[in-house]
Amino acid sequence: MDVNSITHIAGLIGEAGRIQMLNALLDGRSYSASELALVAGASPQTASSHLAKLHSGGLIVSKRNGRQRLFRLKNADVAMAIEALGALAQNAATPPMPELRFARTCYDHLAGVLAIALRDELLKREVIRHRADTFVITTAGEHFLRKLDIDSGNLRNLRRSLARKCLDWTERHHHIGGSFGAALLTQFMEMKWLARMRGTRAVRLTHEGERGLERVFGIHCERLRSLPAVRR
């Protein structure tokens, strides 16, 4: 473990404006410097300095889109680190917005109360099992996932973790990350079970999604909404 490198990364993340930018980028999308400046409440010059430091530190990447440069998180590892820090730093006196706690994106996969309920059901049905810092998809799980048009064989061929455990910021349990977590979120979006909400990481559960989650996974969303917030 390189202490100097950890200190450098901690310094990058530990500045208020920069962590606000990183938090905005947790939805997995790309944003312009001016959009991130608004998020951080910073001047264009200060925002440019923040982004340059995050970029050189390997936390974000950028690409040119016409005359604009767009920024996004470098990868899921960065998202997992920020989400885990959020879980450690959560203040019980300032609970998260109910919509954000119920269902939100964590980079390219689902987080929040709904994500933990989904994980619990998949464990109960032995679609997945615990293994150290990851989940594994069982043989029975592969058959179950085909019903959702998810091919676990294809996911295993991708250059990333299959079903990594990601510490949930609000629930302090591990939700499903990796290529499997991303495939679930993508499929739920395509089936119109979930819909993105503008200006926030929260995702909206549709009526069709509520019925689908109950039918396929046995998840009763009304019960989930009444769950008390997790206390330290």
Side-chain angles (χ1 to χ4, degrees), residues 13 76-86:
I13 294 175
D77 289 341
V78 178
M80 287 179 63
I82 298 168
E83 185 86 0
L85 283 172

Side-chain angles (χ1 to χ4, degrees), residues 20-32:
Q20 286 174 316
M21 289 178 169
L22 291 170
N23 185 57
L25 293 171
L26 271 177
D27 67 2
R29 290 181 281 190
S30 299
Y31 291 90
S32 68

Side-chain angles (χ1 to χ4, degrees), residues 99-110:
E99 296 86 357
L100 201 62
R101 183 191 170 220
F102 181 72
R104 63 184 182 277
T105 55
C106 175
Y107 192 55
D108 60 358
H109 55 270
L110 186 64

Side-chain angles (χ1 to χ4, degrees), residues 10 41 67 85 98 102 104 141 154 176 189-190 208 213 223:
R67 298 178 64 183
L85 283 172
F102 181 72
R104 63 184 182 277
N154 287 341
I176 304 168
M189 291 289 191
E190 288 181 355
E208 186 174 352
L213 287 167
R223 295 178 191 172

Side-chain angles (χ1 to χ4, degrees), residues 112-122 217 219 224:
V113 172
L114 185 58
I116 299 302
L118 178 63
R119 178 212 67 174
D120 289 346
E121 285 299 325
L122 292 176
F217 299 99
I219 295 174
L224 296 181

Side-chain angles (χ1 to χ4, degrees), residues 84-93 169-170 172 229-232:
L85 283 172
L88 291 173
Q90 186 174 335
N91 186 347
W169 158 51
T170 58
R172 298 192 184 91
V230 176
R231 300 292 181 186
R232 280 191 178 274

Side-chain angles (χ1 to χ4, degrees), residues 42-110:
S43 68
Q45 294 80 7
T46 301
S48 179
S49 174
H50 285 330
L51 291 168
K53 289 176 181 177
L54 292 172
H55 194 280
S56 65
L59 298 181
I60 63 173
V61 293
S62 65
K63 66 177 181 180
R64 181 70 65 180
N65 182 28
R67 298 178 64 183
Q68 273 192 329
R69 185 171 291 279
L70 299 178
F71 299 87
R72 62 177 176 82
L73 293 185
K74 182 177 181 180
N75 52 36
D77 289 341
V78 178
M80 287 179 63
I82 298 168
E83 185 86 0
L85 283 172
L88 291 173
Q90 186 174 335
N91 186 347
T94 55
M97 293 186 301
E99 296 86 357
L100 201 62
R101 183 191 170 220
F102 181 72
R104 63 184 182 277
T105 55
C106 175
Y107 192 55
D108 60 358
H109 55 270
L110 186 64

